Amino acid sequence: MKVPVNPSVKLIDAVVSPPEHSQTDGDFERLQAAIAEKTDLDPDIDFEVLASLQSTLRAANWRVTCAIRLGDGRRPAKVIDIWPSGTAARACGIAVDIGSTTIAAYLCDLATGDLLATAEITNPQVSYGADVMTRVSHSMMHPGTHRDMTAAVRGGVRQLVDQVTSCNGIPPSEVLDAVMVCNPIMHHLYLGFDPVELGQSPFTSATSKALLVEASDVDLPIHPRAQVYFLPAVGNHVGADAAAVLLSERHELADALTLIVDIGTNAEIFLENKTGIVATSSPTGPALEGAEITHGQRAAPGAIESVRIDSVTKQIRFKVIGSDVWSDDPAFEASISDIGVTGICGSGVIEMVAEMRMAGIIDHTGRIGSPQETGCVHCFLNDRTYSVSLYDGTPNIVFTNNDVREVQMAKAALYASIRLLMDEIGAQTVDRIVLAGAFGSHISVKHAIVLGLIPDCAFENVKAVGNAAGGGACLALLDVDARRRIERSVRDIRNVETATHPSFQTYFLNASDIPNASDPFPNLAQHLVLPVVDYRKRAGRHRAGQKS
């Protein structure tokens, strides 16, 4: 999609008439007239700029470039800086997606719409908890510590601003505009609000409206008179990041019933067609991103990202980030000599569980079978349950039955929330599925459906769109009309509270099975038949590890 370039801050060149004895207009009034000759703007001027205006105009021989922040119907346009013509650098803006786990920044040229640089870091708040509710609990148990979390996340954003500007040789002071998207708890913590009310019923936010704040008020080291636009939230736990995803994907709305899922520590879900939109959030937890898994880790060189298990021999092979060679290739060890095998990341976790199900190493309930039951020599007794050895090296990488359970819990919460949205509009199936988020971009469609992470759908109608929240933030940065559009849209979205819905538990229990205990998956059946195995009968009938 080509992004319209209609930013809220523009550079306008102006030639100002010098003063004459016969005139009584001040320098600013003549600057306004010069701007009006080239545009339809009648801007006000920032006090600090006005204070130095006369010396700037005379030093520039009356030829200047003005940075003008456009009005929005409530506030007039305003000159926020002025330079002698030819000395102003390009007008830049920054869009930031503040996720629970990752913060991503995008530096854009406000005149051309070009993306100049991107960077991301782990959210420094992870030291206070892997997920947002843990951080809220921390704030509840230790009143006032939300200020520490605010300082941490603002420090992370400042670090990103420095990264994306320095790599282009652009002083941060030349970044004239900013847009932020984040979930409600990140929104509160970045702004310095205590999130405690979002952690207890009825889960109330300080505000869900779009906000425009001074960059200096949130310690953002960009132009001293720049402002930061925060997109509106959809609901108490469906935040501005979800609104940004919707803004990014809205151009594709059609009659087809479309499910949009932004998968992360907290998943945001939309179900939409031309008749309307329903939305909710799902507390999936960090397991799908590799956290709370025995050898789980974030996506980084050395992390297992893809897994394949032969359905006949039950041999396991994998690929790691940083190497294009599969682990059963003789060249594998040489290819990882500099990075090693360090753990398993989110995409590898999903593929591991789905591959074990397809190979009959786990049954539909998620129980790992013994070596005798499965025919897999990689299965081994680990305390009272079985685990699977992925890599016999340094370190040894294993996947335990508890790891499977963590994945089941996360995917069941997500699927149950999706089913409740489908009930809300009376749908039994969906036509299209859009997987948003950086994590969603690395998920195999087949493995996601085998796992029961998403509803059954024709494989070709499932697509990944990358970090759509970041894309929506960039769109709002580059096009002020997009801001008005999403502000109107969120007012019409029906936000559904699923966690307290009476049917949630039923859907959750059914979705704990792989892929599901009750919902049919006919599209999946066209591609493969899952083994019919049940390892629950082992208990009480034989010693662990013996074949029935």
Side-chain angles (χ1 to χ4, degrees), residues 104-162:
Y106 307 82
L107 183 69
C108 298
D109 187 315
L110 295 180
T112 65
D114 292 340
L115 179 63
L116 303 177
T118 65
E120 67 175 45
I121 60 169
T122 299
N123 189 331
Q125 287 182 348
V126 295
S127 61
Y128 296 93
D131 59 85
V132 289
M133 293 314 296
T134 303
R135 294 173 208 172
V136 173
S137 297
H138 182 85
S139 185
M140 288 177 170
M141 292 185 292
H142 307 281
T145 55
H146 69 279
R147 299 185 187 92
D148 299 327
M149 289 185 273
T150 294
V153 70
R154 288 183 181 180
V157 172
R158 287 196 299 271
Q159 178 182 335
L160 283 174
V161 170
D162 181 66

Side-chain angles (χ1 to χ4, degrees), residues 456-541:
D456 185 64
C457 187
F459 285 15
E460 64 272 17
N461 291 338
V462 183
K463 71 169 186 175
V465 295
N467 187 3
C474 290
L475 182 56
L477 176 69
L478 295 171
D479 182 15
V480 290
D481 290 337
R483 302 182 187 186
R484 308 291 87 82
R485 198 159 61 243
I486 194 61
E487 288 174 17
R488 291 192 300 269
S489 293
V490 298
R491 291 196 291 264
D492 298 326
I493 296 172
R494 281 186 291 141
N495 187 41
V496 180
E497 182 58 56
T498 58
T500 57
H501 195 286
S503 298
F504 181 86
Q505 193 63 23
T506 299
Y507 284 135
F508 179 88
L509 291 173
N510 287 335
S512 297
D513 268 26
I514 304 173
N516 196 285
S518 62
D519 289 355
F521 279 67
N523 287 289
L524 177 62
Q526 293 179 19
H527 294 269
L528 57 92
V529 177
L530 296 174
V532 179
V533 292
D534 190 339
Y535 302 133
R536 293 173 298 174
K537 300 176 183 178
R538 180 193 321 123
R541 294 183 51 187

Side-chain angles (χ1 to χ4, degrees), residues 161 273-274 464:
V161 170
N273 57 21
K274 284 184 175 178

Side-chain angles (χ1 to χ4, degrees), residues 79-330:
V79 178
I80 61 171
D81 213 338
I82 187 168
W83 306 270
S85 289
T87 64
R90 68 177 78 182
C92 295
I94 191 165
V96 184
D97 175 16
I98 305 176
S100 306
T101 306
T102 302
I103 307 175
Y106 307 82
L107 183 69
C108 298
D109 187 315
L110 295 180
T112 65
D114 292 340
L115 179 63
L116 303 177
T118 65
E120 67 175 45
I121 60 169
T122 299
N123 189 331
Q125 287 182 348
V126 295
S127 61
Y128 296 93
D131 59 85
V132 289
M133 293 314 296
T134 303
R135 294 173 208 172
V136 173
S137 297
H138 182 85
S139 185
M140 288 177 170
M141 292 185 292
H142 307 281
T145 55
H146 69 279
R147 299 185 187 92
D148 299 327
M149 289 185 273
T150 294
V153 70
R154 288 183 181 180
V157 172
R158 287 196 299 271
Q159 178 182 335
L160 283 174
V161 170
D162 181 66
Q163 286 185 34
V164 295
T165 54
S166 61
C167 70
N168 280 272
I170 297 172
S173 60
E174 293 179 3
V175 178
L176 303 176
D177 198 18
V179 168
M180 299 277 180
V181 299
C182 32
N183 65 51
I185 291 172
M186 287 298 97
H187 171 273
H188 279 45
L189 287 173
Y190 184 76
L191 288 168
F193 304 161
D194 193 333
V196 63
E197 294 299 333
L198 283 167
Q200 56 193 10
S201 182
F203 310 108
T204 307
S205 63
T207 180
S208 60
K209 290 185 176 182
L211 290 179
L212 196 60
V213 305
E214 301 300 321
S216 57
D217 287 342
V218 289
D219 304 323
L220 191 64
I222 56 177
H223 190 282
R225 288 175 289 280
Q227 293 183 329
V228 185
Y229 176 77
F230 289 80
L231 269 69
V234 176
N236 289 342
H237 280 293
V238 183
D241 52 351
V245 170
L246 188 63
L247 181 61
S248 178
E249 289 301 304
R250 188 70 168 158
H251 64 284
E252 293 194 0
L253 272 185
D255 291 328
L257 185 60
T258 300
L259 173 69
I260 301 176
V261 186
D262 189 354
I263 302 175
T265 306
N266 189 70
E268 284 85 26
I269 311 161
F270 293 101
L271 195 58
E272 63 176 18
N273 57 21
K274 284 184 175 178
T275 64
I277 309 172
V278 290
T280 192
S281 64
S282 174
T284 52
L288 298 178
E289 294 183 319
E292 298 185 0
I293 301 297
T294 303
H295 289 104
Q297 67 164 87
R298 290 188 48 72
I304 295 172
E305 62 174 342
S306 294
V307 178
R308 297 292 181 270
I309 303 177
D310 190 286
S311 60
V312 177
T313 67
K314 311 300 171 75
Q315 289 300 308
I316 301 174
R317 61 193 183 106
F318 58 83
K319 287 176 67 176
V320 301
I321 297 173
S323 171
D324 293 326
V325 181
W326 285 93
S327 60
D328 60 344
D329 190 304

Side-chain angles (χ1 to χ4, degrees), residues 415-430:
Y415 191 91
S417 297
I418 293 170
R419 284 293 283 117
L420 287 172
L421 286 190
M422 294 169 67
D423 286 352
E424 187 74 15
I425 61 172
Q428 295 300 312
T429 59
V430 298

